[in-house]
Structures are given as structure tokens and as C-alpha cells.
Amino acid sequence: MLNDFWLFASVVLLFVGLVATQALLLIVGSLVLIVWVLAKFWDRLAFKRVSHGRALGSERAFVGDSVEYSVTLVNDKVVPLIWVDIHDNFPPELDLPGATVRGTGIEIDREHRITTSLLPYQQVTWKYNLRCLARGYHRIGPVRLRSGDIFGFTAAENRFSGVDHILVYPRIIDLKELIMPSEHPLGDVGNRRPLYQDPSRFFGLRDYQPQDPMKHIDWKASAKRSQLQSKVFEPVVSLNVLIALNATTSEFAWQGSNRRLFERAVTVAASVASHCAESRYEFGLISNGVAVYSGKWLSVPFGSSSLQLGLVLESLAMAGPYSVISLTDVLQQERSSLPPGATIVVITSVVTRALANEITDMQSRGYRVVVLFSGDGGPQIRLHNVTVIALGRALEALEVEPVEEDEPVLAG
């Protein structure tokens, strides 16, 4: 609208100058017209052959890590950019010390902002140390560029739809920092290997003993011998660990989700997975928490390859603090895939009556169940004959300390 006004003004001045034969009006009108033409010309060429790029030193990191991050702007033409503003969408879970990162006023959206100018055929690069404040799959972008001519008549805008992503793994803590060695839930793989009976491998019969499960009694053989007989199965070495993460942080759905307790549970799950990988266990992960962008609950099948830890950490990094099903239902659905004698490590910040009953049932089926309680205090329901370790206080003491800020480095 302002451009149209100046065009109209120049035409009026030229017309009046011609009619009144006033040279000054003709000169002013001509100058205004020339400036208007130049502004229009610049508006069309402002972002021609201008490119914007980002570079991440790594697309994967852990909470608390710093990653090299750079922003590059290139003006590959003869027309300069007198001024240019860069507005790049930036997630709140990442930090750029020394940079200008401000909120947009829309919910929690933020923008990384840079104001600069570019000479003909100039390239400018800004370098930062990007800090990962929280786990997750974080997106940087898209970016919006704004610029204007030297006269202030026009303002051009251009958008680049390209985005970059960084996957931040949950923090991993040595279990020895959380649990005393005598309480270690998974034991020492180097010293002992627990033996379990595989119900699918029948070996023979023997006289019943008081500690034998009732389901192992062979009633036909007992009737023939007039004495209770128990089935004997082949013993197997069990190094299988199922990590069961409970995404629910309250007893009732209407109480909502506690993000602090959920993040604690994820940290413990990642730490257990790391320990299993170091000890060469075969392990897997299930959770009633859903993965971001998928809506399905987390499930990583058992495995012992060098890639297994990465798969589990990626799933935990993508986990959202909400659930669409109870952990009890997930455990019941996953029973068929559990190896005989597997150890189930239940990580939860709340113990409901249904979960307590499921844990008891799993133990009666021959599985070893360990509960790592990540909530405040201890479980609301007492679990009999189950190893329960409360980690709340230990987790509070291992909070990430704040770090000093770095200044960005500008490379021409």
C-alpha cells in the first residue's frame, strides 16, 4: 500500500511539474519514481540465490551433552542484503548459550533469531555449542527470513521448509550409584548364573517336595504310585531380562501425569538397559507409554546383539509421558513371548492393586520379578516376597547441575 502511494505521488509530481513547467517538481517526481523502481527491483531480487543451512555435529546425543551446531547464510549474487533477520523455530528442550532465543507468543514455541547484513557473494557462519536439556526427538526449523531495501519502502520475506532433527537419549546412571551392591537386582553375571526349569523340556518324575509348585504335580503318576509325584524339567541358564516401564504416574487417570516422575522412570529404564548390555544379558523392553508420532506402546523384542542397547535407548527417547493402556494389560499380552525363567524388572512410580496382582501371578509362573520404585517414598501397596528397591532419594541426589554458558563463534 505504501509503495502504491509513492508511485501515485511521483506521478502527481511529474504531472504537476509538466503542466506548471516547474523543473524542481519534475526532478523530485523523477527521483521518487526512480527510488520506487529500485525498491521494486530489489524486492524481486532480495532472496534470489540466497541459501540458509544448519549443521549438527551429531544427530544423536544424551541428556546433558553439548553438540556442535552452526547456522550458515549465503548471498550468491551481486545485489547485497542491507539487513536480514533470521527467525528459526527452536525447541525449548535445547539450549544455545550466547544466542538470542525468544518465545514467539504462541504456546511454548521459540525462535532462534539472528540479525545481520550480507555483501555481494558473502557467506557468514555462526557456530554454537548446542546443549541437550531433555530427552526426545527434537526438531529445528523451519526458518523464516526477512529483509528490506535501504530506503525502507519494502520488506521481503522468504521461508525455507527444511528442518533438522536431533534424537536425545535419556540419561544413563550406573546402577551402583542407585543401589547398594548387596541389593543389586540383576546380580553379578560373572559369579553366578541362575538356573531355571524349562516347562517345555520334560525330564522325568520324582517324589513331591513341599517347595514344588502345585501345577508341576503329575496326578496320573501320583494315583498309580499312591504318592504325590512332581514333574522334573531340564534346567536352563537364564540371562533374559525384560524391562517393563510403567508410564502411568498416578493411580487414577483423572489425576493426570507427573512429568518429573515419568522422566525418573525413563532414566532408570535406560540405566538397566545399559547394565544388561554390559553384562551381555539378552534383554528387551515393553511399556504402556506410547512413542511420539506413532501412538503405539513401546516394545523392543529380546536381543543380545551390539545394536540392542541402541534400539532400546531410541525407544525410550521417543516415549511420551502418557499411556493408552495399563502396564498390567501389556504384561498379559507379552506373556507368550517371555522365555522361561526370565527376570522381569518392573520400573514404576506407582503400584496399583492390579499391578501388584500381576506381579504375584508372574512370580507364580516361574518368573523372577524385581520392582524398582522411582516414585517419592515407597510403594503404596506392599508386595510380599518381591524384591522392591526405592530409588526416589537417590535419583533426587543425581540431578543434573547447571553449566556455564558459552559464547557463539562467528566465521566469515
Side-chain angles (χ1 to χ4, degrees), residues 30-207:
S30 299
L31 289 176
V32 172
L33 182 60
I34 292 172
V35 169
W36 181 86
V37 171
L38 290 176
K40 276 294 185 182
F41 175 75
W42 184 94
D43 189 29
R44 290 179 176 272
L45 294 181
F47 291 112
K48 293 291 185 180
R49 302 180 68 177
V50 172
S51 59
H52 171 274
R54 311 179 202 86
L56 283 164
S58 175
E59 294 183 350
R60 283 170 169 75
F62 284 90
V63 172
D65 285 354
S66 292
V67 177
E68 292 183 359
Y69 175 71
S70 63
V71 177
T72 301
L73 192 64
V74 180
N75 180 29
D76 192 20
K77 66 177 183 302
V78 71
V79 179
L81 291 176
I82 306 303
W83 63 269
V84 58
D85 288 338
I86 305 174
H87 295 251
D88 201 2
N89 286 356
F90 204 79
E93 295 83 3
L94 304 177
D95 187 28
L96 280 184
T100 301
V101 181
R102 299 176 181 173
T104 63
I106 304 175
E107 295 181 351
I108 58 174
D109 290 345
R110 302 192 308 165
E111 288 181 341
H112 175 210
R113 300 181 183 181
I114 300 175
T115 299
T116 187
S117 60
L118 288 179
L119 298 174
Y121 302 104
Q122 184 183 14
Q123 172 180 315
V124 181
T125 299
W126 295 265
K127 295 182 178 180
Y128 306 89
N129 282 327
L130 181 149
R131 291 205 173 117
C132 304
L133 304 181
R135 62 164 192 87
Y137 187 62
H138 308 307
R139 183 180 71 176
I140 304 174
V143 67
R144 175 171 56 95
L145 303 182
R146 293 183 66 254
S147 186
D149 63 88
I150 192 173
F151 308 107
F153 289 161
T154 62
E157 184 174 301
N158 193 24
R159 296 177 182 269
F160 293 91
S161 59
V163 296
D164 289 274
H165 298 87
I166 180 170
L167 184 66
V168 180
Y169 296 134
R171 186 183 179 191
I172 293 180
I173 299 172
D174 188 348
L175 289 185
K176 293 180 181 179
E177 296 184 39
L178 299 176
I179 306 167
M180 297 298 292
S182 60
E183 297 178 322
H184 206 292
L186 302 181
D188 186 355
V189 66
N191 297 331
R192 64 183 180 91
R193 293 192 175 188
L195 297 178
Y196 296 92
Q197 292 185 346
D198 186 351
S200 64
R201 301 179 180 181
F202 178 73
F203 181 74
L205 296 171
R206 61 170 171 78
D207 292 341

